[in-house]
Amino acid sequence: MKITIASGKGGTGKTTISTNLVSYMASLGKKVVLADLDVEEPNSALFLNAKIFNKQDSNKLVPSWNSADCTLCGECEANCAFNAILHLPDEIRVFDKLCHSCYACSELCPTNSLPMMPVKIGQITHFNCNEFDLIEGRLDLGQEMAVPLIAQTMEYVDKNYLEHIKLLDAPPGTSCPVIEASRFSDFVILVTESTPFGLNDLKLAVETMKVLKQNYGVIINRFGIGNDGVEKYCKNENIPIITKVKNDKNVALLYSNGKLIYNEIEHFKNSLDEIVSFIEDLK
Amino acid sequence: MKEVVIISGKGGTGKTSLSASFSYLEGSNAIVCDCDVDAANMHLLLDANFANRRDFYSGELAVIDPSKCTNCGHCFDVCRFDAISEGEDSHIVDQISCEGCHYCSRICPVEAISMQTQKVGDIYTSDIKNASKMVHAKLGFAAENSGKLVAKVKSEAAKLAVEEDRGFIITDGSPGVGCPVISSLSGADLVVLVTEATVSGLHDLKRVYELTESFNLKCVCVINKYDLNDAVTRDIEDFLIDKKVKLVAKIPYDENFTKAMAVAQSIVEFDKECELSQIILQAWNKIKNKTKEEDR
C-alpha cells in the first residue's frame, strides 16, 4: 500500500507527520518505508537517525550533438516542442534544462546525430534508520525539473519494498511535482492548518485530487489556532478528518531541534494512533 | 523602479505574511506580485478585488481523432511519458501524463493526432488595500507550466510598475528551489530570504541561498521565530556572516501573525503599534536602503 502525505500550503507539518508516523509505525512492528519526495527541499533525514546505506546519481537523458554526420538540416529544432534545441549556422546547441527527454529530436534525426546521453539532475540516497528505511530524492541546485527525479525515487522504492506500507512525503503546492507524488498512490493524506491560508490551499489541493480521481482525507495540524473554517469545509464536503493535532508550542520546539515528537508529547502520540488505525481501515 | 523578491526554500516560514506587510507599508508606491501561483495566498490579506482577469495559455496536449485512428500503435511506441494507451476503437491520451512534446502527432501515419493549446490558468490584476495594485494568478487544477505562468505574472507586474511610475515591485515567491522559484528570481534587484529557527529552516536556507548565489543576486535575510531555538538562530547568524548576507530582522514566535490572518489582515495593519510591526517596519526600511546600494 502506498500513501502520499501532501499539502497545498508549505509548512503545515507534512514532514513532521511523515517522519513521526514512519518511526511510530515501525516501533509497532509494521513493515514501513518512507520516501522523501520533496526533492527541492528534502528534510526528513534531519529528523531521523539516518545512516547512509547507498547513494546513486539520478540522471535524465538528453540529446548530445555528434557533429560527424550532421548535415545541419534543422529537423531537430523543428521537432523540439520545448525550445531546447537551437540550430545555428554551424552548430546544433542543446539546452539540457529545457529538455523533457521525449526523444523526438534524437529518433527523428535523419543522420542519428543526436544520441541520448545521461546528465545528472540529482541524487537518490537510501538511508537505514533503526527499524525502517528512508529513501530521499535530492535535486541538484539550478535544475528546474523535479518530476523525473520524483519518478525515479518512487521507482527505487517500488523495486526494493514489495510488502511494505510506503509513505511518500510530497512537496508543497498543487502543480506537477505534487501530482507526480500523488497519482500512483492508494490514498492521499492532506495536511493542513486551521488558518485562512491553510483553508485556501486545502481547497486547491482537494480540487487537484478530484482531477486525479484520488481518495483523500485531511489532518488538521495546529488545531486551535486561527478559526474553524477548515473543519466546516471538511464537514460540508464530506471529507474525512483523520485527526486533529493540537496547536502546541512544545511541538514546534522539538521540531526546531530536529527531534521526533511522539515519545515526548502524549496528545501527539494519540493523533498518530488515530492515523495508524485510519490506515489499517484502508486495507 | 526596484524589484524585491521574497523567497524561503521551506514553506510556512512566514514569507507571505511578510510580503503582505511590506506591501501594506509601501502602499501606492509599489506594485505587488504573487508568484506562488499554485498555492496563492497573498490576495487574502490584501483584499484583492480580482478586477481584471485574463486567460493564460501554455503548452499543448495531444488529441486523437477516433474516426481517423487505425489503432496501429505507433504513437504508443514512441511516447516516453506513458500517456498513450490502447482503447477499443482508437488509442487514447491520458491528459495528466501528456507532456505536449508533439512526437506522436509528428509520426502518426494517418494524421489522426492534433495538438491543442491548453489553458493552464488565469492571471488577475486587482486593486488592493492602501491604493496599491497587485498582479496574481491561479494555476488550473493539476496543470503544468507554473514556471511560465510565473514569468508572465512578473512581466505584467513590471509593465504596470513602469506605466504607473511606482518605486517598487514586491514579489512573493513560491517554496522550493525548482522551476517556479528560478522563474520568480529573474530580474530581482534584491532577494529577501525568509527562514525560521528550526533545523529544516536552516537546511533549506542554505540551498536557496546557493541558488541565489549562482544567479549572482544580492540577498538579505529575515529570521522568523528566532526565539524558538537560540542555538539554531546562532547557526543561521554564523552562516549569514560567513556568506556576508545582511540580517535585516529577527522576528519572535508570535501567534498574532495568525490572529491577523484570521481577520484577513497583515500584522502591520492588525496592530500598527505592536513590537512585531515595529520590527517589520524597520526591516522594510533596511531592505529599501539595500536596494539603493550599487554594489553586488
Side-chain angles (χ1 to χ4, degrees), chain B residues 207-219:
Chain B
R207 275 172 69 82
V208 84
Y209 168 75
E210 237 185 88
L211 186 70
T212 59
E213 199 184 29
S214 72
F215 294 120
N216 202 18
L217 294 166
K218 191 161 64 171
C219 306

Side-chain angles (χ1 to χ4, degrees), chain B residues 67-173:
Chain B
S67 71
K68 288 186 188 165
C69 176
T70 60
N71 250 346
C72 72
H74 212 83
C75 51
F76 173 85
D77 293 340
V78 301
C79 180
R80 289 304 193 295
F81 308 105
D82 295 329
I84 295 182
S85 57
E86 194 176 342
E88 269 182 30
D89 301 318
S90 79
H91 275 59
I92 302 164
V93 179
D94 172 23
Q95 303 206 338
I96 289 167
S97 300
C98 177
E99 293 263 321
C101 74
H102 290 233
Y103 196 175
C104 59
S105 77
R106 292 189 212 282
I107 54 87
C108 175
V110 294
E111 296 186 357
I113 307 177
S114 57
M115 300 303 296
Q116 289 186 357
T117 307
Q118 293 299 299
K119 182 187 162 188
V120 294
D122 296 296
I123 298 181
Y124 304 92
T125 306
S126 291
D127 301 303
I128 56 172
K129 286 173 184 172
N130 258 2
S132 188
K133 283 184 183 172
M134 169 168 169
V135 182
H136 50 129
K138 193 172 161 190
L139 191 69
F141 303 123
E144 296 187 2
N145 284 302
S146 57
K148 286 183 181 158
L149 181 53
V150 167
K152 182 71 179 163
V153 168
K154 275 183 66 106
S155 71
E156 294 212 358
K159 204 171 124 213
L160 193 60
V162 170
E163 274 169 19
E164 305 212 347
D165 195 24
R166 309 267 178 133
F168 288 93
I169 299 174
I170 298 172
T171 299
D172 187 16

Side-chain angles (χ1 to χ4, degrees), chain A residues 27 38 50 54 74 99 101 191:
Chain A
S27 76
D38 188 1
N54 178 33
C99 175
S101 308
V191 183

Side-chain angles (χ1 to χ4, degrees), chain A residues 42-49 134 257-259, chain B residues 199-201 203-204:
Chain A
N43 286 152
S44 294
L46 297 172
F47 298 90
L48 300 168
N49 188 14
L134 163 68
N257 270 317
K259 296 267 184 342
Chain B
V199 289
S200 43
H203 170 272
D204 295 355

